[in-house]
Amino acid sequence: MTRRTTSSTEALRAQLTADIDEAILGWVEEGLVDATEWTTQGRRPLLVTPLPAPPGAYFDRIAVERVLRFFLLLKQLIGRHAGREFRLMDWQVRYLVAPTFGLKRADGYRVIRTVWFEIPRKNGKSTICSGLALYLFAADREQGAEVFAAAGDREQANIVFRAAANMAAGSPPLKRKLGRRGIQKKLLEHPVTHSIFRALSSEGLRAHGLNVHGGVIDEVHVHRNPDVVDALETGTGSRAQPLIIFITTADEGAETGSIYATKREEVEALAGGHAEDPTVWGVVFGADETAEDFDAFSEDALRTANPGYGITVLADYLAQKAAQARRSPQQLNRYLRLHLNIRTKQTTRWLSMDDWDACARTPSGVPVPVDLDALAGRDCYGGLDLSSTTDLTAFSLWFPPVTDDPAEPYVWVPFFWLPEDNLKDLERRTKVPLLRWSQTAAHFGPALRLTEGNVVDYRAVRSFITDELRTRFNLLAVGYDRWNATETVNELADAGVEMEQVSQGYAGLNQPCQQLERYVLSRRVSHGGHPVLRWHVDSVGIKTNADGYVKPVKPDRQVSSKRIDGVASGLNALAMQLVRAEPEEAPEPSIRIIS
């Protein structure tokens, strides 16, 4: 099969998006969908993954309309809307129902199998997902469907199930369809298709072996172990078009490796364009705390974060919560997390991808590759970040300007290595296209270099530095992280490369971090848009100590899909420029420590 070009994928995605938007306008005019100010005012979610567009994909408007009409058979259950027919809002259709149920593969089955739907409290997420689970159980035309409302504990799991059961009991057409024995306290059962719908929690999970057609996993951030999620995800293998929907608000951001953190990282990687998985659709509603004019207590922040503002969640209620948080520091984090969907204890995101991408383009948006021939013979500094033996290793070259012209950029040229035998496993865990990058031309070879076996061949890294790079450029010194580096450092020093250890704490990395940020913001870094480095830049976060010093935070490779090796190597190289004196004539190879 011939691989489609990026342009053809984008063209198909644009067409699918246009089809969805056109359909929603028609449904609003027809009265099937309610229009909201949130949408008409041009507000958008904080984060949205690209619309899946595999070859042959198309938008099935009739399939979505079937879901919309099913919801009209249901009644709202609580609050001031209780008793009204369940008419979906435009933002719910645009960012949940239409992509999930309308995007079809060439064979007619749904494209999307996993949905991540993250939104502040009181925006009706549990209610709409109860309706969707009910649809999967009763109207999705799946024989013997098994649908589950899942959560970390029995009480939370029952919230979605009870809402669905009550809506079924309150819908005359659905009640007749299920019959007298079809609606039970802990089970819904379809007499014709023999489908079932019930609650599922870790407390009630006795064994795997589920045959899952649909699952709604509520409040992902409170799950303490992966048992329920694993049982549902591994139970979909025999279904033609299963669907698992994760619904949640933000976690506190303190726990790495949790179910929430792992899934949220995957969605962020997809949204950043580094990972690829056409079966996943992710949406995060929330306030952008990094925006220059961000005001956590403003009405605008509340309106943006809460698409149900004034409808499912009252303006007075949110204003009251904002006032309480302003008065009481004890209430602030709770307010930020529950009502603005901000992770309150997470590592601070560092570089803006808009600023980073702008460094690789002209003002008109034309990509600017790094001209390696023009760098021949230039002074440069190296930075080395050795991985564990099974993961990515990175080496960066950092070229300072040769003139005093403030417009002349610093040039960053990265190189990456990965054991060939581990490529598929790491690609599966991170969902980034490592194989494609290993086949994409970059600097003197592929963007990702593969070494034979299941461990990084450090000899290949060393020989590339000494035999390839040092012969082309004037490599003045190489900064390195001492972890796992003794043999490689000694070998390079013996080969005549000046090696200098860079402390990986605040003292050693604060100045390189601060300087790199200035260079990026002023568009003085030329990096050519290297895809692996871009992934790492988008993954990196920083921590700040009491003195205001910053350093990047390395993710736990065992539980995180993020990697920052390229950034670490670049900072080590930049540290060389910032602290190293001008070279003396014919310096002796040495190993020096920077702290």
Side-chain angles (χ1 to χ4, degrees):
M1 182 185 297
T2 302
R3 178 179 293 156
R4 295 181 305 152
T5 63
T6 301
S7 59
S8 64
T9 301
E10 291 304 317
L12 177 57
R13 180 172 291 129
Q15 181 60 56
L16 294 172
T17 301
D19 291 344
I20 291 173
D21 291 340
E22 180 184 359
I24 292 173
L25 288 175
W27 291 325
V28 168
E29 292 179 0
E30 191 178 345
L32 281 176
V33 173
D34 282 340
T36 63
E37 286 187 4
W38 190 87
T39 300
T40 57
Q41 290 174 354
R43 300 184 191 272
R44 288 181 51 81
L46 177 66
L47 181 152
V48 184
T49 58
L51 201 67
Y58 65 97
F59 178 64
D60 187 343
R61 180 169 178 165
I62 295 175
V64 179
E65 190 167 314
R66 177 179 167 84
V67 179
L68 302 180
R69 294 191 182 279
F70 176 83
F71 268 81
L72 292 179
L73 299 177
L74 309 176
K75 301 292 184 183
Q76 298 274 16
L77 296 175
I78 59 176
R80 59 199 178 102
H81 300 295
R84 297 182 186 176
E85 63 182 1
F86 203 153
R87 182 178 289 105
L88 295 177
M89 289 172 277
D90 49 10
W91 62 269
Q92 294 172 321
V93 178
R94 177 63 181 83
Y95 294 108
L96 177 56
V97 177
T100 302
F101 290 90
L103 291 182
K104 298 290 186 69
R105 305 184 316 204
D107 60 8
Y109 289 113
R110 289 192 290 262
V111 173
I112 294 171
R113 307 297 176 86
T114 301
V115 174
W116 179 267
F117 195 72
E118 184 175 330
I119 194 167
R121 288 190 64 188
K122 304 298 183 181
N123 281 273
K125 67 180 185 301
S126 296
T127 306
I128 186 176
C129 286
S130 295
L132 292 176
L134 201 55
Y135 177 86
L136 292 169
F137 153 70
D140 205 29
R141 297 168 174 165
E142 179 76 10
Q143 288 292 320
E146 294 183 15
V147 179
F148 300 91
D153 59 66
R154 186 179 293 108
E155 182 178 354
Q156 188 67 43
N158 279 329
I159 291 176
V160 170
F161 174 79
R162 280 198 304 267
N166 289 337
M167 283 192 286
S171 170
L174 195 54
K175 188 176 181 179
R176 288 194 301 269
K177 187 174 186 178
L178 297 180
R180 183 171 58 87
R181 301 186 61 184
I183 303 175
Q184 303 173 31
K185 185 176 181 180
K186 296 184 178 180
L187 177 72
L188 298 185
E189 188 170 7
H190 196 298
V192 177
T193 65
H194 304 291
S195 299
I196 62 169
F197 177 27
R198 65 184 178 91
L200 182 70
S201 69
S202 57
E203 299 166 5
L205 186 65
R206 293 292 177 265
H208 292 199
L210 306 178
N211 189 4
V212 180
H213 174 62
V216 173
I217 302 173
D218 197 11
E219 298 298 5
V220 182
H221 67 280
V222 302
H223 282 246
R224 294 292 173 249
N225 63 65
D227 293 349
V228 171
V229 174
D230 288 347
L232 290 178
E233 290 186 325
T234 58
T236 61
S238 64
R239 298 291 182 176
Q241 52 177 9
L243 180 62
I244 305 296
I245 304 175
F246 294 87
I247 57 175
T248 190
T249 50
D251 72 347
E252 293 181 342
E255 185 178 358
T256 60
S258 66
I259 294 294
Y260 173 93
T262 301
K263 295 294 184 181
R264 174 68 185 260
E265 280 186 10
E266 292 176 3
V267 170
E268 289 174 350
L270 289 167
H274 321 300
E276 297 177 347
D277 189 341
T279 68
V280 176
W281 171 250
V283 183
V284 177
F285 295 87
D288 183 4
E289 61 178 326
T290 66
E292 186 175 347
D293 58 349
F294 173 67
D295 178 358
F297 308 109
S298 68
E299 180 181 319
D300 184 66
L302 289 167
R303 283 183 176 273
T304 298
N306 295 272
Y309 186 92
I311 304 172
T312 62
V313 55
L314 296 179
D316 289 348
Y317 168 82
L318 291 175
Q320 178 188 18
K321 293 298 181 182
Q324 291 174 351
R326 189 191 294 270
R327 293 192 304 266
S328 171
Q330 293 180 350
Q331 295 291 331
L332 179 59
N333 279 358
R334 180 178 174 84
Y335 164 78
L336 294 174
R337 183 173 68 84
L338 296 182
H339 301 298
L340 295 182
N341 204 49
I342 292 173
R343 303 179 72 188
T344 51
K345 296 181 181 177
Q346 67 174 347
T347 300
T348 304
R349 185 180 177 88
W350 189 19
L351 300 172
S352 160
M353 294 311 295
D354 288 340
D355 292 328
W356 178 259
D357 291 340
C359 291
R361 305 190 191 109
T362 65
S364 61
V366 178
V368 180
V370 172
D371 186 352
L372 291 173
D373 291 337
L375 296 172
R378 284 260 303 265
D379 289 351
C380 63
Y381 300 93
L384 181 64
D385 186 74
L386 294 174
S387 67
S388 61
T389 57
T390 61
D391 217 325
L392 288 165
T393 283
F395 184 81
S396 286
L397 291 179
W398 181 265
F399 294 83
V402 295
T403 70
D404 294 330
D405 183 354
E408 184 181 358
Y410 296 81
V411 182
W412 186 349
V413 182
F415 306 89
F416 300 90
W417 291 263
L418 177 70
E420 186 174 22
D421 291 354
N422 299 337
L423 184 143
K424 289 185 178 179
D425 179 64
L426 188 59
E427 187 171 65
R428 176 186 59 81
R429 288 191 285 121
T430 63
K431 290 186 168 59
V432 296
L434 299 173
L435 177 60
R436 191 180 74 198
W437 289 342
S438 72
Q439 300 167 345
T440 301
H443 308 137
F444 309 133
L448 177 63
R449 290 169 162 78
L450 301 180
T451 63
E452 293 184 1
N454 60 4
V455 297
V456 176
D457 184 354
Y458 291 150
R459 293 173 302 176
V461 177
R462 293 194 294 266
S463 64
F464 183 78
I465 294 171
T466 57
D467 301 342
E468 297 289 336
L469 300 182
R470 201 170 56 163
T471 60
R472 289 182 167 94
F473 313 109
N474 185 27
L475 184 57
L476 300 175
V478 172
Y480 68 91
D481 174 1
R482 68 178 181 178
W483 186 87
N484 204 35
T486 301
E487 180 182 2
T488 294
V489 168
N490 289 334
E491 292 282 348
L492 289 172
D494 289 344
V497 179
E498 182 161 345
M499 305 296 296
E500 300 182 5
Q501 179 186 323
V502 179
S503 169
Q504 300 298 294
Y506 289 106
L509 292 178
N510 175 66
Q511 190 180 8
C513 284
Q514 300 278 14
Q515 203 62 39
L516 177 60
E517 182 174 347
R518 294 190 189 99
Y519 293 153
V520 171
L521 290 175
S522 61
R523 309 292 192 266
R524 291 201 66 194
V525 177
S526 175
H527 53 72
H530 194 288
V532 185
L533 182 59
R534 186 180 187 276
W535 168 38
H536 292 185
V537 169
D538 197 28
S539 295
V540 71
I542 56 171
K543 282 187 175 180
T544 307
N545 69 4
D547 297 322
Y549 282 27
V550 298
K551 70 172 183 178
V553 181
K554 289 196 174 186
D556 185 340
R557 297 172 185 272
Q558 300 303 313
V559 298
S560 176
S561 62
K562 295 183 177 181
R563 298 294 184 271
I564 67 165
D565 312 273
V567 176
S569 67
L571 290 172
N572 289 340
L574 177 54
M576 296 298 92
Q577 178 211 327
L578 296 175
V579 304
R580 188 177 184 277
E582 290 295 322
E584 299 173 358
E585 286 190 31
E588 291 294 325
S590 64
I591 301 175
R592 189 154 64 99
I593 298 177
I594 299 172
S595 60

